[in-house]
Amino acid sequence: MRRWQDRTESRPDAFFRYDLGNYIDSARSTIAQYLGVDEGECAFVPNATTGVNTVLRSLVFEKGDVIVHFSTIYGACEKTVEYLKETTPVKSANITVVYPIGDDELVAMLQEKITQLKKEGKRPRVAVFDTVSSLPGVRVPWERLVEVCKAEGTLSLVDGAHGVGHLHLRLAQIQPDFFVSNCHKWLYVPRGCAVFYVPERNHHLIRSSIPTSHGYEPFPIEGQEKVFNPFPEGRRSRFVEMLQFVGTTDVSPYLCMEEALKFRQDVCGGEDRIMEYCEKVSNEGGQKAAELFGTEVMENGEKTLTKCCMTNVRLPLKVGEGAGEIKKADAFPVVAWMAQILVNEYDLFVPPYFHGGSFWVRFSGQVYVEAEDFSAAAKVLKGLCERVQKGEYLKRLAA
């Protein structure tokens, strides 16, 4: 990445105006081959949130349109939906999900909500859902959710923030309408880099990058001159050209794609070995933590929630009014306090959170951790829970 940054700074005008497009083309070709899709259907954005925003802010919403999502949607994406409700005619339908639940139940919930909206005379325009949700960190049957959307004529927007490098995605076979995935989480590309996949059939729906830049092509208006574009006219599709240059930013992470995949193959042993190890160490480490806490791993009867590289373990904290118990009103201040203490005092971060009336923590398996690392983190967390039970977090609330 430093090499690309040095090259940029040595001749910035030449780099951004004339060289960058070809370099990004090479990176797009690399990630497209990895995903098994056409490179003309792939572009780069800084992160998954930007990709979700690019889709939702490009769609033209009319009265009666509804954005459907689960209550486990990533917070920044939910706020995007709320913003669009303030600025466009669109409404939202939030499907409440309390884990652990089975895949069949989750799929049925989306189907039932879409059916209900149609009976009410509304149009479920787009459904937003994850590959692996953030909190809780569980495998989502996104492939089946895409099929529901296809059958119902609802656009599918897949937030695959925890997707590429984490799961075998089979995008060409599943064919979501829109898919975005962070490459800096599980693919080992430097931050920030996300691949934005839009099948050619939907290119016309993406009108602008975020922010709008030189690649945007406004609809022609009689008598109005075309806005000057300082970049050379390219051979790429409108979709790719629009996202190729979006303001003067550091795009060096995009250009590290080939090296990242080479590292995964040559050093880590390839995709299957990486994914199998990360899932295995996550499950084993999560079980060790649960045993230390005297609690359990979040899992459903189908054993599908942990079919990924993250595991959720219930923390030994209880909600209530008794001694050592946490008032429900204090639940979110408690997890905020715990997260900050983990970073500031222990140089450790695993996200604690509150879900379904209980406190949980999410562990992630990576190539550089072992099951014993989970045990070490769990010991810290157990001690932190004891501090919570003694009311130490209340000092922050009183401050």
Side-chain angles (χ1 to χ4, degrees):
M1 186 171 79
R2 303 298 183 211
R3 176 169 58 87
W4 283 113
Q5 290 172 332
D6 290 343
R7 184 177 296 187
T8 304
E9 295 306 318
S10 66
R11 299 181 72 226
D13 288 292
F15 184 87
F16 281 109
R17 287 175 180 265
Y18 307 113
D19 301 337
L20 179 60
N22 291 331
Y23 294 142
I24 291 185
D25 284 345
S26 178
R28 283 193 306 104
S29 177
T30 299
I31 189 61
Q33 185 176 1
Y34 174 88
L35 293 172
V37 298
D38 188 272
E39 73 174 82
E41 299 178 322
C42 291
F44 291 116
V45 290
N47 47 61
T49 301
T50 300
V52 170
N53 270 263
T54 301
V55 174
L56 293 179
R57 292 173 189 252
S58 287
L59 297 177
V60 179
F61 293 109
E62 301 175 354
K63 186 177 181 180
D65 285 351
V66 180
I67 300 172
V68 184
H69 64 82
F70 295 104
S71 57
T72 49
I73 186 174
Y74 186 59
C77 296
E78 184 170 13
K79 287 188 175 181
T80 301
V81 174
E82 292 302 306
Y83 172 76
L84 289 170
K85 286 161 63 177
E86 293 180 5
T87 57
T88 77
V90 78
K91 304 298 181 184
S92 68
N94 186 347
I95 305 171
T96 301
V97 179
V98 179
Y99 283 100
I101 65 170
D103 288 358
D104 291 344
E105 184 178 356
L106 191 75
V107 173
M109 291 169 80
L110 178 64
Q111 179 69 71
E112 289 167 6
K113 179 58 68 174
I114 291 176
T115 301
Q116 174 193 338
L117 290 168
K118 287 184 174 182
K119 286 182 178 179
E120 294 171 356
K122 300 171 184 175
R123 181 167 72 145
R125 183 73 188 284
V126 58
V128 185
F129 45 85
D130 305 298
T131 50
V132 176
S133 60
S134 180
L135 296 173
V138 295
R139 174 70 155 88
V140 176
W142 67 278
E143 303 94 334
R144 294 173 60 187
L145 299 175
V146 169
E147 291 303 314
V148 170
C149 290
K150 286 180 183 178
E152 295 294 337
T154 297
L155 293 170
S156 56
L157 169 51
V158 182
D159 179 359
H162 298 277
V164 64
H166 190 153
L167 306 171
H168 290 295
L169 295 170
R170 301 183 296 117
L171 291 180
Q173 291 76 31
I174 297 163
Q175 284 286 299
D177 289 303
F178 310 99
F179 182 94
V180 62
S181 186
N182 289 324
C183 300
H184 55 250
K185 287 187 181 291
W186 298 91
L187 202 63
Y188 309 149
V189 175
R191 290 180 300 272
C193 175
V195 60
F196 184 34
Y197 166 72
V198 179
E200 186 176 1
R201 67 179 185 273
N202 289 328
H203 283 186
H204 68 287
L205 294 174
I206 304 299
R207 289 289 299 133
S208 174
S209 59
I210 301 291
T212 300
S213 192
H214 291 294
Y216 172 67
E217 293 184 3
F219 293 125
I221 299 175
E222 186 176 354
Q224 180 173 303
E225 292 186 9
K226 187 175 182 180
V227 180
F228 173 67
N229 183 349
F231 291 86
E233 187 172 342
R235 63 191 182 281
R236 309 169 191 89
S237 69
R238 183 194 66 83
F239 168 74
V240 171
E241 285 287 352
M242 180 175 61
L243 291 157
Q244 200 84 335
F245 176 86
V246 186
T248 305
T249 58
D250 182 5
V251 297
S252 55
Y254 302 174
L255 309 181
C256 296
M257 184 60 65
E258 184 175 347
E259 287 299 320
L261 295 184
K262 187 174 184 294
F263 170 80
R264 292 172 69 83
Q265 182 62 45
D266 296 350
V267 177
C268 302
E271 299 305 308
D272 288 341
R273 187 177 182 190
I274 292 171
M275 294 179 191
E276 288 170 7
Y277 176 79
C278 291
E279 181 178 329
K280 180 174 182 288
V281 74
S282 173
N283 288 334
E284 290 180 356
Q287 192 58 50
K288 285 179 178 290
E291 291 170 3
L292 181 65
F293 295 156
T295 62
E296 73 281 346
V297 169
M298 181 183 289
E299 184 56 288
N300 59 20
E302 299 155 305
K303 307 295 184 184
T304 57
L305 300 184
T306 56
K307 288 292 184 182
C308 63
C309 307
M310 296 198 289
T311 305
N312 305 267
V313 182
R314 187 168 62 81
L315 290 168
L317 293 171
K318 291 185 178 181
V319 175
E321 300 290 333
E325 296 180 336
I326 314 303
K327 294 180 181 178
K328 188 174 182 181
D330 289 349
F332 292 106
V334 162
V335 296
W337 179 83
M338 292 179 71
Q340 188 169 5
I341 294 297
L342 284 170
V343 171
N344 292 345
E345 296 187 15
Y346 298 98
D347 196 23
L348 166 70
F349 188 74
V350 283
Y353 63 96
F354 187 73
H355 177 79
S358 297
F359 291 90
W360 300 83
V361 63
R362 188 194 77 192
F363 291 102
S364 296
Q366 282 288 7
V367 293
Y368 47 80
V369 300
E370 299 176 347
E372 289 72 20
D373 295 317
F374 288 74
S375 297
K379 290 176 182 176
V380 170
L381 284 162
K382 187 175 181 181
L384 197 54
C385 287
E386 291 171 357
R387 292 169 64 179
V388 170
Q389 290 168 332
K390 293 175 182 177
E392 189 174 334
Y393 71 94
L394 294 171
K395 296 176 184 178
R396 175 174 173 175
L397 294 179

